Every structure is written in structure tokens, then in C-alpha cells.
């Protein structure tokens, strides 16, 4: 089976593409999907995904101001191109709280480490224009500030490494093994599925891996070029974790306090239990990784099968309790 070459894709690139796509489609009514995809250097599937998102954009959330773009599977039609025209658009007016939120966010983003200097300068120029337009309403924003947690800096470094095609060194916490490891990775793309992840080629495991940004303890952009092998990008429209039919089956029973498991874990079935809980059947290539789920659930859930995994989870819980009971008592005032 032929493999598709890996292609750098990130949120900033997609935003730039979609802005260009609006102008392109406005000037070419009835454009063919194949021609547009070829012009933008993307697949037809990626183009259709962009078209699904564009109708959520516009000058406001009122129906007539949203982009009315659709496709018949072959051509693309824009039914209200005047929605972005000067003849239809109303002057943008920001309330004081809107201006404050926008200015605080813009200043915070401009301080992100790893942000490309050209993007930073463009953002500062736009901020100055908003300040001038907001007048007195901009005053409150100067008294507020936002400090990003570590994920913000990690995102900026990953985004820069992808755009400059450079390798990354990271210290990464793996909850399944409860350990921090060091590794070099060749980043491929940033994806957001609940959390933000970087999909990359891991030089330590010599395989594709996905790393959650808020679990990166330390990161460095290396001088070495990023050179991931040619691999087919996975379709993540159905979620980041997509168990295969041949993966081992695990059955978990949870009480009312553990119903969230069915929302976060892809599963085959979730049957109601008399006490308001659920009996959840799911598949995973690594059943042992669910031991931590069992410990987290505590009295709100238990692994039912396979029996060896259920017993392993019980032993892990007993060892954790024994270690806790064996701790010396806290001193005075603690």
C-alpha cells in the first residue's frame, strides 16, 4: 500500500489557509473541489473539513452574517458572498469588556516564548489599533495581565520546530508507567482532541508517538533537522484513541460517580446498572494501562474482566493502601 508523505500541518497554517480560502472562493463561484485542493496543496478531504468549519465564521453570529458555503461533492458554492462586503457589513463596535478581553489576550500571546518575530510584530500593531479604537475602554486592560502555564510555552516551541523543521528534545511524563523519560522527537503536527498533542516520530522508540503538551516537563528546540520517515497521517476525526477490533476486551463497572469514564474512553457498549452506574465494555492494545484508571476510580469503579487484569488492579490497590498505612504520622502542626 502506498504511503502518503508526512506534511507539516498546524493551527496557524490552517488559519492562514482558511483566510486565503475565503478570498479565493469569493472570486471563483462554483469552483471545483479538486481544483481548489490542488491550488492550496491539500487533499480533498482536508478541503472538505475546512468547508465544514467556514459556515461557523462570519462578522457576527446572526444567520445572515455567517458564511453560507456548501458543496455538492464536486463544486463549491458561496450563496451570500456579500456577507463580508462593505455594503453589508456593519461597523464593528466592541463593548468595554470585549475590548478589555481582546487586549489582555493579545498582550499575553505576544509574550509567548518561541513566537516568530514577524507574527509578534504584526500582533503588536493590531493591538495598538484596537487600543486606539477602544479609547477609554482600553484603560482597564493595562491593569490586567495573564501568565500562561507551561503548556503555552511548549506549544510555541513545538509550533516553531514544525515551521522550521527542527528536532525537539523533551522530558515527558508517562502516566501509564508513572515515569519521566527523555527523548528526541521529530514533530509532524499539532492536534487538538480535548487536549493539545504533538504527533511526532520518536527517536527513542523508533515509532510514531503522540505526546500531550501538558505532560511535557521540559522542552528544547535542537539545531538538528527534523526528518520523520514518510508515514500516512491518521484520520483523527473519530478521536485520538481508536481501538482496533483485534485489541483485547476489558469490562469495567462504575458507580454514578464514575460515569465520566464513558465520556472519555472510546467503548463498544455502556449498559445501565441498577444503582445508576454503567457496565462499560472497551478495547485497548494495552489493558495493563487501565490499572491506573481503577486506582483513580477507587470505590466508584472496578475492573471486571479479564480476571488477571482485575486481580492485578486489586493487588495494586492493596499495595498502595499498605504503603499509605505504613507512613509515619505527621509531626505537630502538619
Amino acid at each position: 500500500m502506498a504511503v502518503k508523505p508526512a506534511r507539516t500541518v498546524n493551527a496557524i497554517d490552517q488559519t492562514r489557509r482558511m483566510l486565503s480560502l475565503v478570498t479565493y472562493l469569493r472570486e471563483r463561484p462554483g469552483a471545483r473541489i479538486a481544483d481548489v485542493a490542488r491550488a492550496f496543496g491539500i487533499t480533498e478531504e482536508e478541503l472538505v473539513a475546512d468547508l465544514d468549519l467556514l459556515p461557523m465564521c462570519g462578522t457576527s453570529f446572526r444567520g445572515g452574517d455567517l458564511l453560507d458555503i456548501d458543496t455538492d461533492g464536486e463544486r463549491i458554492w458561496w450563496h451570500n458572498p456579500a456577507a463580508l462586503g462593505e455594503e453589508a457589513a456593519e461597523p464593528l463596535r466592541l463593548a468595554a469588556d470585549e475590548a478589555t478581553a481582546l487586549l489582555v489576550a493579545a498582550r499575553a500571546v505576544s509574550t509567548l516564548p518561541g513566537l516568530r518575530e514577524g507574527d509578534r510584530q504584526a500582533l503588536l500593531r493590531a493591538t495598538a489599533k484596537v487600543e486606539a479604537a477602544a479609547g477609554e475602554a482600553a484603560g482597564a486592560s493595562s491593569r490586567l495581565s495573564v501568565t500562561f502555564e507551561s503548556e503555552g510555552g511548549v506549544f510555541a516551541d513545538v509550533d516553531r520546530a514544525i515551521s522550521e523543521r527542527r528536532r525537539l528534545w523533551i522530558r515527558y511524563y508517562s502516566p501509564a508507567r508513572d515515569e519521566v523519560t527523555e527523548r528526541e522527537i521529530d514533530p509532524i503536527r499539532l492536534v487538538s482532541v480535548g487536549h493539545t498533542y504533538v504527533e511526532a516520530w520518536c527517536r527513542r522508540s523508533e515509532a510514531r508517538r503522540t505526546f500531550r503538551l501538558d505532560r511535557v516537563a521540559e522542552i528544547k528546540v535542537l539545531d538538528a533537522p527534523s526528518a520523520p520517515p514518510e508515514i500516512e497521517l491518521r484520520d483523527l476525526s473519530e478521536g485520538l484513541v481508536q481501538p482496533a477490533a483485534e485489541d483485547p476486551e476489558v469490562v469495567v463497572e462504575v458507580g454514578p460517580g464514575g460515569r465520566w469514564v464513558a465520556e472519555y474512553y472510546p467503548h463498544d457498549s455502556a449498559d445501565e446498572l441498577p444503582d445508576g452506574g454503567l457496565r462499560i465494555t472497551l478495547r485497548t492494545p494495552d489493558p495493563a494501562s487501565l490499572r491506573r484508571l481503577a486506582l483513580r476510580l477507587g470505590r466508584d469503579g472496578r475492573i471486571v474482566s479479564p480476571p488477571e487484569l482485575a486481580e492485578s488492579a486489586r493487588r495494586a490497590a492493596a499495595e498502595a493502601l499498605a504503603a499509605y498505612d505504613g507512613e509515619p504520622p505527621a509531626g505537630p502542626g502538619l
Side-chain angles (χ1 to χ4, degrees), residues 206-261:
E206 288 298 317
R208 172 168 46 191
R209 293 289 184 266
T210 304
F211 303 96
R212 212 170 99 175
L213 296 197
D214 61 353
R215 292 176 180 164
V216 176
E218 189 177 353
I219 185 169
K220 295 177 184 177
V221 181
L222 304 178
D223 292 331
S226 173
E230 293 186 352
I231 55 178
E232 184 175 3
L233 297 179
R234 296 183 298 160
D235 178 9
L236 301 179
S237 60
E238 298 299 324
L240 189 68
V241 180
Q242 300 173 27
E246 61 271 16
D247 288 341
E249 183 180 275
V250 178
V251 178
V252 180
E253 288 187 355
V254 300
R259 293 179 66 94
W260 58 267
V261 173

Side-chain angles (χ1 to χ4, degrees), residues 104-119:
V104 170
R107 292 195 189 103
V109 171
S110 69
T111 64
L112 281 175
L115 185 66
R116 282 168 278 187
E117 188 57 27
D119 292 338

Side-chain angles (χ1 to χ4, degrees), residues 29-36 51 70-77:
R32 291 182 179 276
I33 286 182
D35 294 338
V36 177
L51 296 177
D70 67 18
T71 174
D72 60 5
E74 182 179 354
R75 293 180 178 272
I76 304 168
W77 302 100

Side-chain angles (χ1 to χ4, degrees), residues 44 84 92 108 125 177 189 206 226 249 256 262 272 277 280:
E44 293 184 20
L84 293 185
L92 177 62
R125 289 193 296 270
R177 294 185 296 274
R189 60 173 173 170
E206 288 298 317
S226 173
E249 183 180 275
E272 294 285 345
I280 303 169

Side-chain angles (χ1 to χ4, degrees), residues 119-135:
D119 292 338
R120 190 190 312 277
Q121 292 303 320
L123 180 59
L124 291 175
R125 289 193 296 270
T127 302
K129 292 180 180 179
V130 174
E131 285 179 331

